């Protein structure tokens, strides 16, 4: 399979937040874009005003299918020092149980996937924490939430820094080591393009590792400058690295949703226009990836690691150069 | 002026170095590329085997005009701790006098510009040096070499790190502060794209500052990932930022040489093929810059800082998206 | 003057925020620390529940003097795209007028300084904005707010990134270029240690530039890993670079407040304990700086840029090594 | 075991290189330091002028024991595009066979360890190489060289960038994934402090992962600013992170050599004075680590992730604050 056929696109719903509104308003915003066909809901916050049944109906009303749920461990709920790694056993238990309820809500809505970004599970200072205990606490929590419902996939999304100075799960390979130790079939990773850049990775290379050592369960497209999680329009800064990732995913056979994890709301951009830019640019990059994935001259250049030939071929395809 | 018309291209001669060869062989290599019309020579090393008259003839033989000279302060000549900032007054004097002889050689060959990258002028440790004295030593040395021949422009090329952990002249604005203090009309800056990324700068913004506060005397195109001076093919990683810089330079009216400061020799790429890739890609990006520089819809989007509209327009031009 | 005598310490009041509380509760929290003698208030948010007269009394009640005010341009007030650089002239005017009212409030309370961190004045995308217009808009706004009350100093605090991908005023030298163009005597810079690291700067070197080209009006101590604005306890990661900065400031004669711009609230640390750690560690580093500032052996090592000797001396003083 | 007892120190021999000299002169330089008791030799370059028997005698003459050998794959030998990942099967075979000869030389000298830093095994461009093939080629080469002599340990030293823009083996976790796939008992990792910082890692955390998933075979101490491989005196920038690593290694029971992988030669520092500074500072940090490793108050603070308490304790120990 060398083509990402007719991808389903989703957008970050919070980008459509309006003052005083609920998740219904966010879904309506996503509906106005015109090219989105899936959505992720955050648990528990997107379930504050509507139960799963009502949320399913709201999704259907906007022509959206549920891609999955994503956990949020809010600092006001006590998770400032950590969720799965919180040093207080009661709060750690609360984080695990919250995740299990999130998985139940996902199943109730017919979803198949829970995404975990353990943003608070990290440390700020040397000597702040016992890294071995944090690791063990994470492994056992991941195993427990994976076992809670083997029919729901649990996807780990890594990010090197922010909000904590250092994350416990900062990069692809650490995540893969952890998932190997967890050893559950219903686990995998979510690729977030800007997080990969932030971690200093070449996204297509990380995708190779993920596909060999675990499962790629989700794909977040966005872009940035590699120094932080900028949340820019997909392909706006690194079109070549984005295409290379799309070629790798086509070869791997990734058939999941493409979720635009971008922050138009942070910089005052209209989220509908921004979503349309994401879709338009990604459509184009997917077309280019489909061509490059089967280009024998490119494969030959790669086989001899001939960067001048490969770059010339790729830039000719992209820019008509 | 909104167009970079018929730019003259130059390449880094050392990329064409062959074992046991001289600068004549490097010039022959550059001549084989077919699209290069200018060259920079390094002083003193490129003058080791040939005098200025012979070098001028070698250039002419390859159809190349002299763009200018670039100083090299080699550690084996004692400049490991610094050139203009060396704590030993005799070695500091030697660096200044070497630069003056380089300017003489430049003038003798009919060149108009000396580029100074003060690579050793920095520090590795806190408490290693008196920053104020380093600053004063740099200012007075720059003034002296600028005064040596007011007909020769002196261009400062900054770089944040490497070989020293910290450079005294790490970024555009520090360089502009220094040049303001030097106060000589025959001074200016050389823009190096990968150095700008390495310094965390947006190249087109730095060009704006340079044009307002000093003069842009040179342009080094190349590319990289912003974490170090990668020396990749121009536009290969950041085509959008490269086009934005070219638009800025077209508006400023920069009419100088485009020098490809790339390192095919570091990663085993054939330098002739690599130079051709630089030229082909830059030709295309210059065409795109010419179109975007006069696009009223883009100007309108920029006037309202509408990133979605601007990005859509730019990516449509670049990728046909 | 080679000693920072009896510094006045201030802490970030928002670190003491309690749910449902007002600035009075924050000031009470700061009062509990025991070693803080000054405070900065944010305008307008810290003035929401109390007028200047009431705030002055609250400060006095806690034994705190007002160090100054710091502007906050909130995104919910429309400043998401910028304050002094907002493309909408009405919103840009609103930002300037808000700043002028802040300066009035500062004067009314007997304060002498307004700190401006123009966090939203930046850009996320290439081609998003006209950098020259942003620069001009910033220069004229700074001049206008400086002229509003020449008795109040206006201090610019730079930061390279976040919340915008790129700040217009990212580093020391760009800030100094801007202040030179502003040309008002009641302007200067605020040094923020973690922002300097984030900008890739060596703090003591930036202090040298600031003292030569402008005025150092404020000092924010904190620490981090240089990849983002971590907000850690002062000296916790870079004690050597902090001491070097303190030596530089002692030589310059800086006699202002030391403000701990740290984020205990972001990572669940008790702010009172954290403030005490800031004070205890900074007291010690100031003592060490006082010794090192007059050490003739260190001065001699620096004069010859002898990093082995200088490092040995400094680490012996710090660690007893 | 909570103490790094009487460590053996080694220094980078090339720091003692003198013009026209051989490895004998380097060893004599190391001998002059006075506190070094071990040495690593580079293969093949340190074996150019002397055979293994002669080298063993030269080591003994200077009171040095052989710590091990480290491979160097020189670009002039054709390894510019890679060693174990070279696309040309003949050159890849040459790299493997050179390594096997190095292991033979190591065994002949009674050494027990070969260190592999695969500096050229990476890529500069997207689309330059097939990452999966590079991975497979690395795994099979590592297995072959490990199998060549099971009595000799093979230690992989990772580094994220430089000389290639991206290394195939950039960080701890990727290295551990590779070693798990290699599956040979005589393999492990070498920790290089500055490489860890360069990879964005917290060194003590990486040591925890290494000890759990593989074996720690070597320790390179040095320091830097995290943006590149600065090669500074151990502990000169990050004393706290260095002590934390030493505490972790004491708990793990690491009893190997501490090798100072620093670059005094790059910045004009006398290598003897610099080695003495390394030893003096590391001796002190090891003493501090021994105290902190058994401090119950620190262990209690870590158990509750109390960064204020932990930092106060640690800085009191280090600085007497």
């Amino acid at each position: 399979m060398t083509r990402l056929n007719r991808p389903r696109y989703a957008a970050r719903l919070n980008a459509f937040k309006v003052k005083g509104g609920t998740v219904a308003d966010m879904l309506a915003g996503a509906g106005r874009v015109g090219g989105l066909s899936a959505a992720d809901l955050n648990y528990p916050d997107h379930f504050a005003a509507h139960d799963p049944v009502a949320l399913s109906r709201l999704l259907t009303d906007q022509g959206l299918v549920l891609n999955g749920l994503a956990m949020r461990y809010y600092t006001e709920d006590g998770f400032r020092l950590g969720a799965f790694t919180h040093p207080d056993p009661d709060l750690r238990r609360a984080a695990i149980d919250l995740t299990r309820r999130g998985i139940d809500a996902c199943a109730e809505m017919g979803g198949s996937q829970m995404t975990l970004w353990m943003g608070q599970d990290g440390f700020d200072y040397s000597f702040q924490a016992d890294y071995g205990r944090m690791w063990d606490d994470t492994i056992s929590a991941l195993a427990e939430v994976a076992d809670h419902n083997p029919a729901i996939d649990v996807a780990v999304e890594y990010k090197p820094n922010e909000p904590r100075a250092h994350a416990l799960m900062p990069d692809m390979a650490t995540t893969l080591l952890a998932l190997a130790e967890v050893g559950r079939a219903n686990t995998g990773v979510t690729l977030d393009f800007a997080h990969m850049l932030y971690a200093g990775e070449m996204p297509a290379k990380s995708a190779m590792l993920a596909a060999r050592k675990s499962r790629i369960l989700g794909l977040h497209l966005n872009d940035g400058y590699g120094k932080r999680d900028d949340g820019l329009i997909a392909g706006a800064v690194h079109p070549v690295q984005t295409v290379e990732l799309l070629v790798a995913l086509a070869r791997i056979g990734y058939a999941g949703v493409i979720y635009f994890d971008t922050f138009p709301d942070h910089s005052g951009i209209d989220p509908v226009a921004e979503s349309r830019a994401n879709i338009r640019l990604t459509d184009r990059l997917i077309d280019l990836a489909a061509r490059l994935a089967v280009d024998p001259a490119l494969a030959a250049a790669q086989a001899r690691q001939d960067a001048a030939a490969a770059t010339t071929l790729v830039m000719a395809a992209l820019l008509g150069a």
Side-chain angles (χ1 to χ4, degrees), chain A:
Chain A
M1 159 86 171
T2 53
R3 176 78 198 261
L4 285 169
N5 274 316
R6 304 165 42 78
R8 281 193 303 190
Y9 292 127
R12 184 174 147 266
L13 288 182
N14 283 358
F16 299 93
K17 198 178 272 186
V18 289
K19 198 165 178 164
T22 69
V23 70
D25 304 288
M26 300 181 205
L27 289 167
R32 273 196 301 279
V33 172
L36 301 175
S37 53
D40 285 69
L41 295 172
N42 289 348
Y43 189 87
D45 48 318
H46 288 170
F47 290 73
H50 308 279
D51 64 20
V53 174
L55 285 167
S56 292
R57 200 176 50 239
L58 287 168
L59 284 165
T60 305
D61 289 350
Q62 299 297 342
L64 300 168
V65 299
L66 182 70
N67 181 39
L69 264 52
M71 289 301 301
R72 288 293 176 269
Y73 306 97
Y74 286 97
T75 59
E76 51 270 36
D77 295 331
F79 299 126
R80 212 175 285 257
L81 257 186
F84 291 175
T85 64
H86 201 291
D88 179 334
D90 292 342
L91 283 164
R92 181 173 176 272
R93 171 52 41 201
I96 295 171
D97 289 346
L98 184 69
T99 309
R100 294 166 69 214
R101 288 196 298 277
I103 290 171
D104 291 342
C106 183
E108 190 179 346
M109 295 182 70
S112 62
Q113 180 175 313
M114 170 61 81
T115 302
L116 303 183
W117 166 55
M118 308 307 298
Q120 297 299 130
D121 287 1
F123 48 92
D124 300 306
Y125 292 86
S126 280
F127 292 104
Q128 177 171 7
D130 176 333
Y131 305 118
R133 176 181 159 186
M134 292 181 79
W135 183 264
D136 290 337
D137 282 351
T138 294
I139 299 300
S140 66
L142 286 173
E144 182 176 346
V145 301
D147 287 344
H148 181 67
N149 185 342
I152 302 290
D153 282 332
V154 173
V156 177
E157 180 183 351
Y158 61 89
K159 185 180 167 191
N161 320 93
E162 201 260 322
R164 308 305 298 270
H166 286 271
L168 187 72
M169 215 57 70
D171 51 34
M172 177 58 85
T174 307
T175 305
L176 294 174
L177 280 177
L179 291 178
E181 189 168 337
V182 168
R184 299 309 198 266
N186 64 324
T187 60
V189 294
T190 286
L191 312 183
D192 183 290
F193 189 82
H195 293 190
M196 290 166 150
L197 296 180
Y198 196 7
E201 299 177 358
M202 187 62 98
K205 182 196 162 197
S206 295
M208 175 278 291
L209 275 180
R212 286 178 168 227
K213 303 290 180 187
S214 178
R215 299 163 61 210
I216 299 176
L217 296 176
L219 173 61
H220 291 192
L221 287 190
N222 44 34
D223 215 330
Y225 302 96
K227 197 177 171 186
R228 52 190 286 278
D229 187 23
D230 292 303
L232 306 189
I233 294 167
V237 182
H238 292 92
V240 181
Q241 283 66 44
T242 305
V243 168
E244 190 191 30
L245 174 62
L246 292 169
V247 168
L249 291 172
R251 288 181 176 150
I252 288 163
Y254 175 77
V257 164
I258 293 180
Y259 173 93
F260 298 116
D261 198 352
T262 54
F263 314 148
D265 46 329
H266 291 201
S267 45
I269 305 179
D270 172 57
V272 171
E274 194 258 5
S275 284
R276 289 176 182 157
N278 275 315
I279 292 168
R280 181 173 172 170
L281 196 40
T282 304
D283 275 344
R284 175 68 176 143
L285 296 176
I286 287 172
D287 281 346
L288 288 164
R291 280 172 51 194
L292 293 171
V294 296
D295 183 335
L298 180 57
Q302 287 186 300
R304 58 181 197 274
Q305 298 185 20
D306 182 341
T311 298
T312 299
L313 282 165
V314 168
M315 299 315 272
L318 264 73
L319 302 181

